[in-house]
């Protein structure tokens, strides 16, 4: 699987930034700027503080971590066992989409150093939604802008939709998964604009990789 995984990986990574695809990155930045300076990030944070969302937040956190690993590997293994080359190949391409989405989002995080909202906080009186530490690794790559959970989940969902969008179970499962991770991240451990950017970047990566040859 490793040889198939690295095949065209650098080329597909660069394709995410090539040509018109660059405008999606710009759109993520512009929308983020708008949501931050308008105060919407802070407003959304304030109106979504509730213990009722804890289950959704934890599901998004755990599902956003394990599913992007288990699904591509499962597809590859199933494809090999069934001698289904297409399924195995799609599994590898899904893994590439996940890896590239994680790398791109982590790269941006390393540069922006955005301060995260208080995790599972019931309330807060200090607006830190506009706090960025631009530079390199000023605030690590675990938190911040854009949401890696969202970018990775959307990359996987988009890749599956490109390959198996005609299958109702796959289509609805991929969409539901993406919605759960994105909404849980926005309510729990990211600002709303982090998630919006993650949706844009993740979807771009998933489509570009899945359509790659």
């Amino acid at each position: 699987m490793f040889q198939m995984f690295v095949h065209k990986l650098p080329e597909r990574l660069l394709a995410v930034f090539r040509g018109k695809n660059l405008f999606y990155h710009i759109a993520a930045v512009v929308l983020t700027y708008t949501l931050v300076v308008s105060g919407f990030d802070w407003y959304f944070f304030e109106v979504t503080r509730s213990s009722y969302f804890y289950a959704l937040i934890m599901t998004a956190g755990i599902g956003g971590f394990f599913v992007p690993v288990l699904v591509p590997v499962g597809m590859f293994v199933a494809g090999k066992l069934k001698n289904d080359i297409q399924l195995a190949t799609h599994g590898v391409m899904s893994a590439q989409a996940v890896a590239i989405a994680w790398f791109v989002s982590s790269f941006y995080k390393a540069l922006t150093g955005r301060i995260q909202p208080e995790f599972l906080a019931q309330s807060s009186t200090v607006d830190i939604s506009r706090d960025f530490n631009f530079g390199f690794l000023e605030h690590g790559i675990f938190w911040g802008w854009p949401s890696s959970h969202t970018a990775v989940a959307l990359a996987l969902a988009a890749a599956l939709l490109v390959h198996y969008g005609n299958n109702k179970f796959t289509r609805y499962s991929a969409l539901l998964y993406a919605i759960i991770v994105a909404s849980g991240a926005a309510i729990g451990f990211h600002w709303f604009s982090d998630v919006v950017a993650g949706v844009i970047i993740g979807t771009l990566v998933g489509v570009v990789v899945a359509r790659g040859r």
Side-chain angles (χ1 to χ4, degrees), residues 127-160:
D127 182 357
I128 58 172
S129 63
R130 305 185 186 201
D131 291 356
F132 289 79
N133 294 305
F134 295 105
F136 185 70
L137 290 179
E138 294 293 330
H139 193 58
I141 61 172
F142 186 76
W143 307 98
W145 181 94
S147 166
S148 292
H149 268 78
T150 305
V152 167
L154 266 293
L156 175 61
L160 292 175

Side-chain angles (χ1 to χ4, degrees), residues 131-211:
D131 291 356
F132 289 79
N133 294 305
F134 295 105
F136 185 70
L137 290 179
E138 294 293 330
H139 193 58
I141 61 172
F142 186 76
W143 307 98
W145 181 94
S147 166
S148 292
H149 268 78
T150 305
V152 167
L154 266 293
L156 175 61
L160 292 175
L161 288 172
V162 170
H163 289 144
Y164 303 105
N166 292 328
N167 182 290
K168 286 186 176 181
F169 176 78
T170 301
R171 181 167 68 247
Y172 292 129
S173 295
L175 290 173
L176 179 60
Y177 170 67
I179 291 170
I180 289 174
V181 173
S183 58
I187 293 171
F189 42 90
H190 276 289
W191 300 107
F192 184 82
S193 59
D194 296 342
V195 172
V196 171
V199 168
I200 294 172
I201 293 170
T203 302
L204 170 66
V205 170
V207 172
V208 168
V209 174
R211 289 180 176 174

Side-chain angles (χ1 to χ4, degrees), residues 55-106:
L56 173 62
I57 294 169
M58 298 309 295
T59 300
I62 295 172
F65 182 82
F66 287 105
V67 172
V69 176
L70 296 177
V71 169
V73 171
M75 291 171 63
F76 177 79
V77 172
K80 285 295 185 179
L81 292 176
K82 297 179 180 180
N83 199 28
D84 187 335
I85 302 301
Q86 184 180 66
L87 178 59
T89 301
H90 288 170
V92 172
M93 294 179 79
S94 296
Q96 288 183 329
V98 166
I100 292 173
W102 178 83
F103 177 83
V104 172
S105 58
S106 296

